[in-house]
Amino acid sequence: MSEAVWTASGKEETAALAKRLAAWAEPGTVLALDGDLGAGKTTFSQFFAAAIGVNSVVNSPTFTIIKEYEGATMPFYHMDVYRLSMEEADELGLDDYFYGDGVTIVEWASLIRELLPSERLELYIEHEGGDSRRIRLVGIGGKYASWCDALNEMGES
Ligand SMILES: Nc1ncnc2c1ncn2[C@@H]1O[C@H](COP(=O)(O)OP(=O)(O)O)[C@@H](O)[C@H]1O
Ligand SMILES: [Mg+2]
């Protein structure tokens, strides 16, 4: 496990993080997002989708729960589990997405923590006033821990 903090003073810097993570993503990658309403979970997801070459409009999946998009390199699965009970989430068979051919982003992921893959990148987005956001990343599992290490090294240079 490894941690990193990314400070975004505006949307461009949230986009820069999304772009960097998109470059590292591969089929089976899971990003678990948390943060209050309006923190920027959907906005981050939209930047991420654009970076993996999704051409269609990515909306908040609050009412549909799961949306699938075609990316240039792989499918993109976008979930919002805010309205789901653990039981309902369990019945959806989320593993088909997590371990499928694409990359998954889960908004409000901590609500279904027990159902998430044991290896994942957690992102905690905090509103810091105006367009500033503090994004804390926790990489659980070797691959994701090394992503955090790489972000930390970038910050130091
Ligand atoms: N640095 C930033 N990163 C992400 N979103 C930002 C940032 N600055 C301002 N915003 C705005 O904050 C709002 C975040 O909303 P949204 O992404 O829907 O949040 P959530 O999905 O977490 O509820 C959007 O209107 C977005 O344009
Ligand atoms: Mg949202």
Side-chain angles (χ1 to χ4, degrees):
M1 196 172 105
S2 190
E3 294 196 17
V5 173
W6 184 275
T7 308
S9 56
K11 282 206 277 186
E12 311 70 37
E13 287 170 18
T14 299
L17 175 64
K19 200 171 166 187
R20 187 151 299 274
L21 296 178
W24 291 331
E26 55 192 16
T29 290
V30 175
L31 307 187
L33 270 52
D34 278 286
D36 292 340
L37 204 66
K41 301 180 294 300
T42 299
T43 301
F44 172 89
S45 303
Q46 289 165 337
F47 287 136
F48 185 91
I52 66 159
V54 172
N55 286 322
S56 37
V57 177
V58 173
N59 291 315
S60 173
T62 307
F63 296 98
T64 46
I65 299 165
I66 303 173
K67 281 195 191 166
E68 298 186 39
Y69 301 89
E70 265 320 306
T73 46
M74 65 193 124
F76 171 52
Y77 309 128
H78 191 197
M79 303 180 187
D80 184 326
V81 299
Y82 186 70
R83 283 157 198 280
L84 284 184
S85 65
M86 273 292 287
E87 197 177 24
E88 288 167 328
D90 204 14
E91 284 166 5
L92 282 175
L94 301 180
D95 281 355
D96 290 347
Y97 297 94
F98 297 149
Y99 300 102
D101 298 328
V103 49
T104 304
I105 291 185
V106 187
E107 297 193 28
W108 299 100
S110 61
L111 295 176
I112 58 155
R113 185 167 282 138
E114 293 87 340
L115 299 176
L116 298 174
S118 57
E119 302 210 344
R120 59 188 184 260
L121 184 69
E122 299 181 342
L123 293 92
Y124 297 90
I125 309 178
E126 281 171 48
H127 214 295
E128 290 210 302
D131 289 349
S132 289
R133 301 291 187 277
R134 179 181 187 270
I135 306 175
R136 189 167 67 90
L137 302 99
V138 182
I140 307 171
K143 173 176 87 172
Y144 300 107
S146 71
W147 292 6
C148 290
D149 294 340
L151 289 173
N152 284 323
E153 279 162 27
M154 285 173 48
E156 282 157 16
S157 61

